[in-house]
């Protein structure tokens, strides 16, 4: 496939950013500081690293992209992704890269727009689970 022009490369970078910013695993890792004090900067760097990975490597397969993202999450955020979302993220990024290569830029822009709308609709939140057993113990103490 043809290499990306600079404007198409910028669009692909926007696409990668939109995908990663709407990925709950990365959101939770950043919001909870899994990457240390610079978690937000690491997430922003991840966009550039992933975009560059596509530019530097020809004909990447989805499993290669999954492994790359998995390594980034593990190395930068001490996070092992086991929720099944990694293949979906890799597939979306691969699909958008192919669309950029095929000059289907309107489709990419539409997908970015949808992802941004999804992002503004609400972020994933990690909240501690309240155990029912703890509630039962408290109510028993009150009755006595």
């Amino acid at each position: 496939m043809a290499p990306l022009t600079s404007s198409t490369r910028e669009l692909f970078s926007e696409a990668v950013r939109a995908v990663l910013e709407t990925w709950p695993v990365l959101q939770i890792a950043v919001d909870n500081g899994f990457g240390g004090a610079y978690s937000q900067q690491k997430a922003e760097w991840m966009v550039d690293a992933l975009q560059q990975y596509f530019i530097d490597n020809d004909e990447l397969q989805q499993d290669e992209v999954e492994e790359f993202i998995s390594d980034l999450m593990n190395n930068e955020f001490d996070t092992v992704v086991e929720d099944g979302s990694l293949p979906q993220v890799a597939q979306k990024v691969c699909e958008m890269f192919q669309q950029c290569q095929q000059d289907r830029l309107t489709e990419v822009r539409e997908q970015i727009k949808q992802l941004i709308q999804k992002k503004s609709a609400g972020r994933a939140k990690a909240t501690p689970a309240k155990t029912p057993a703890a509630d039962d113990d408290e109510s028993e103490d009150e009755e006595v």
Side-chain angles (χ1 to χ4, degrees):
M1 295 254 170
L4 301 183
T5 64
S6 62
S7 62
T8 307
R9 187 182 284 196
E10 282 180 34
L11 182 64
F12 178 62
S13 188
E14 284 179 49
V16 171
R17 182 176 313 284
V19 170
L20 292 182
E21 286 181 351
T22 56
W23 185 26
V25 172
L26 183 58
Q27 289 174 18
I28 291 168
V30 170
D31 290 348
N32 291 286
F34 294 177
Y38 299 104
S39 290
Q40 184 62 49
Q41 289 87 339
K42 286 181 178 184
E44 291 167 12
W45 168 82
M46 219 171 130
V47 171
D48 294 333
L50 186 54
Q51 183 248 357
Q52 193 62 46
Y53 184 65
F54 274 87
I55 302 304
D56 292 345
N57 297 283
D58 289 335
E59 299 183 28
L60 285 171
Q61 300 299 310
Q62 180 180 326
D63 61 330
E64 295 171 306
V65 177
E66 279 179 49
E67 186 175 328
F68 183 73
I69 297 170
S70 177
D71 288 347
L72 290 175
M73 290 300 294
N74 190 25
N75 295 336
E76 302 301 327
F77 294 97
D78 276 336
T79 300
V80 176
V81 181
E82 294 181 336
D83 70 341
S85 65
L86 201 49
Q88 297 167 347
V89 170
Q91 178 186 11
K92 190 69 171 169
V93 175
C94 288
E95 177 183 302
M96 293 172 106
F97 184 71
Q98 288 173 345
Q99 290 171 338
C100 285
Q101 284 182 312
Q102 296 165 356
D103 210 29
R104 294 165 40 202
L105 306 182
T106 305
E107 291 175 47
V108 176
R109 286 188 188 96
E110 184 59 36
Q111 290 178 60
I112 292 170
K113 182 179 165 187
Q114 289 171 359
L115 287 167
I116 290 170
Q117 287 173 345
K118 177 182 172 185
K119 178 184 169 193
S120 63
R123 291 178 53 90
K125 297 287 183 214
T127 55
K130 197 171 186 181
T131 59
D135 290 343
D136 293 342
D137 290 344
E138 289 172 10
S139 56
E140 287 175 14
D141 292 341
E142 292 171 6
E143 292 173 11
V144 175

